[in-house]
């Protein structure tokens, strides 16, 4: 009889992420707030925080490839048209266990900052052009009880430091 191995804890949690950013010269401002699980729930909180706010989709395609799409909260992401643009097969939402295993995240906390936990580079990162062009971007810092604001320069520095280059897509042009 074989016993399932427990999923190891992710290398980074909220505190370690913020410490890592400070140690690596990635300036950020983090606002703590009550838990937010969906974009609509945090609209009042976000109104007081400058910059582009995000929605993040953890997806899996028919061939088993994993995808993380980060888009501005008001961008429409058409999952029927996106595969042709990003080079994937038909997309569906990835399950909780796979999200935790690859990004160290739980539902409601999905964020591009979780890519820091994807040491094996299993997840392909797709970024909305509206975020790529924004002066300030806001993401959950691995927990949905806070929002971290980064200038575009610091967000790109974060991506460079973790060795990730996003596929930048203009989702508004796909509609």
């Amino acid at each position: 009889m074989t016993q399932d191995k427990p999923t190891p804890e992710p290398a980074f949690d909220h505190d370690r992420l913020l410490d890592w950013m400070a140690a690596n010269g990635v300036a950020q401002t983090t606002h703590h707030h009550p838990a937010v699980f969906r974009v609509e729930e945090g609209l009042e909180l976000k109104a007081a925080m400058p910059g582009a706010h995000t929605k993040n989709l953890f997806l899996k395609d028919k061939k088993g490839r994993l995808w993380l799409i980060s888009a501005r909260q008001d961008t429409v992401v058409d999952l029927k048209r996106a595969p042709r643009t990003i080079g994937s097969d038909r997309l569906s939402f990835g399950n909780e266990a796979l999200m935790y295993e690859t990004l160290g995240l739980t539902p409601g906390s999905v964020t591009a900052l979780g890519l820091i936990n994807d040491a094996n580079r299993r997840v392909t990162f797709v970024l909305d052009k509206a975020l790529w062009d924004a002066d300030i971007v806001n993401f959950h810092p691995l927990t949905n009880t806070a929002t971290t604001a980064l200038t575009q320069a610091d967000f790109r520095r974060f991506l460079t430091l973790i060795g990730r280059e996003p596929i930048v897509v203009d989702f508004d042009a796909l509609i």
Side-chain angles (χ1 to χ4, degrees), residues 42-153:
L43 294 178
E44 284 183 30
L45 293 169
K46 294 172 187 175
M49 297 178 213
H53 292 272
T54 59
K55 62 180 168 189
N56 300 274
L57 309 172
F58 178 71
L59 305 163
K60 184 176 181 178
D61 72 15
K62 256 179 35 180
K63 293 181 179 175
R65 293 179 298 180
L66 303 177
W67 302 84
L68 174 63
I69 296 178
S70 292
R72 194 176 60 204
Q73 71 181 5
D74 58 350
T75 297
V76 174
V77 178
D78 184 336
L79 293 182
K80 290 184 177 165
R81 292 184 181 195
R84 185 173 57 245
T85 304
I86 65 175
S88 74
D89 225 327
R90 185 175 47 82
L91 294 165
S92 60
F93 288 94
N95 68 45
E96 287 182 42
L98 196 52
M99 183 187 331
Y100 188 78
E101 176 187 322
T102 56
L103 300 174
L105 301 171
T106 57
S109 299
V110 182
T111 173
L113 301 180
L115 292 166
I116 197 167
N117 282 321
D118 184 24
N120 296 324
R121 308 257 189 292
R122 291 175 59 195
V123 180
T124 300
F125 182 42
V126 179
L127 186 67
D128 181 8
K129 185 174 182 324
L131 289 181
W132 189 248
D133 293 340
D135 293 334
I136 297 172
V137 292
N138 292 281
F139 291 99
H140 286 312
L142 311 184
T143 178
N144 65 349
T145 58
T147 298
T148 294
L150 301 158
T151 65
Q152 188 60 236

